[in-house]
């Protein structure tokens, strides 16, 4: 089974929740670019997430960004280290994120019924491939 989520829906959700509207753009099947313009006189901030691997139990992502953005990420991770949910591992020195999906509490209910098979980034949406258990 495939589930598609439009980038506009994701941007709308983030804007409602955090009062920030990111712009998401699929670069290729394994890469997505996220941009955000904080204020009129500040430059755009952007990050590229590259899906390195996706298994039923773990999703491995690397990211590319500018040096100032990398410093912001490293500082934020260091400051919020004890608040990062279980199952999410952020290695800012390596620019890697590992998501151990079975350990993430918010996903446990849905994972009782489906298994993750793959993730693909398209021009205007992300596609999740799932199978019923």
């Amino acid at each position: 089974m495939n589930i598609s989520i439009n980038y506009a829906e994701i941007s709308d959700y983030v804007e409602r929740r955090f009062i920030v509207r990111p712009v998401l753009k699929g670069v290729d099947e394994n890469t997505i670019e996220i941009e955000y313009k904080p204020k009129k006189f500040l430059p755009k901030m952007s990050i590229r997430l590259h899906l390195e691997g996706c298994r039923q139990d773990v999703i491995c992502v690397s990211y590319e960004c500018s040096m100032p953005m990398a410093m912001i990420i490293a500082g934020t991770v260091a400051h919020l280290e004890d608040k990062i949910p279980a199952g999410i591992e952020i290695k800012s020195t390596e620019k890697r994120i590992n998501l151990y999906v079975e350990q993430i509490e918010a996903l446990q209910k849905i994972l009782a019924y489906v298994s993750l098979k793959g993730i693909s980034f398209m021009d205007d949406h992300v596609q999740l491939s799932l199978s019923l258990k």
Side-chain angles (χ1 to χ4, degrees):
M1 140 179 43
N2 292 327
I3 296 175
S4 296
I5 306 168
N6 288 328
Y7 296 143
E9 291 179 76
I10 297 169
S11 293
D12 291 345
Y13 174 80
V14 171
E15 185 175 34
R16 280 192 315 271
R17 184 103 196 246
F18 302 105
I19 313 169
V20 170
R21 184 159 186 89
V23 175
L24 291 86
K25 178 175 55 173
V27 176
D28 60 39
E29 189 173 295
N30 293 321
T31 308
I32 186 171
E33 185 170 271
I34 305 167
E35 290 184 345
Y36 167 64
K37 178 95 170 94
K39 298 286 180 187
K40 287 182 182 181
F41 300 108
L42 295 175
K44 269 193 267 187
M45 301 172 76
S46 67
I47 186 169
R48 275 190 180 204
L49 300 176
H50 182 75
L51 183 65
E52 297 290 336
C54 180
R55 296 191 326 228
Q56 185 175 341
D57 59 336
V58 65
I59 300 168
C60 300
V61 177
S62 65
Y63 60 89
E64 298 173 36
C65 58
S66 65
M67 181 60 78
M69 185 70 167
M71 291 172 59
I72 290 169
I73 292 170
T76 302
V77 169
H79 181 70
L80 299 175
E81 190 170 347
D82 59 332
K83 294 184 178 12
I84 296 174
I88 300 174
E89 177 182 55
I90 303 172
K91 298 180 177 184
S92 56
T93 56
E94 300 172 25
K95 295 186 177 178
R96 299 186 69 73
I97 302 168
N98 297 318
L99 304 170
Y100 299 96
V101 293
E102 294 173 348
Q103 296 176 17
I104 299 172
E105 187 177 336
L107 299 177
Q108 289 177 350
K109 286 183 182 178
I110 194 163
L111 290 175
Y113 302 101
V114 297
S115 297
L116 180 64
K117 295 296 179 193
I119 300 172
S120 299
F121 300 109
M122 306 302 178
D123 290 337
D124 63 345
H125 68 279
V126 60
Q127 184 168 313
L128 305 175
S129 298
L130 307 168
S131 66
L132 294 173
K133 286 188 174 181

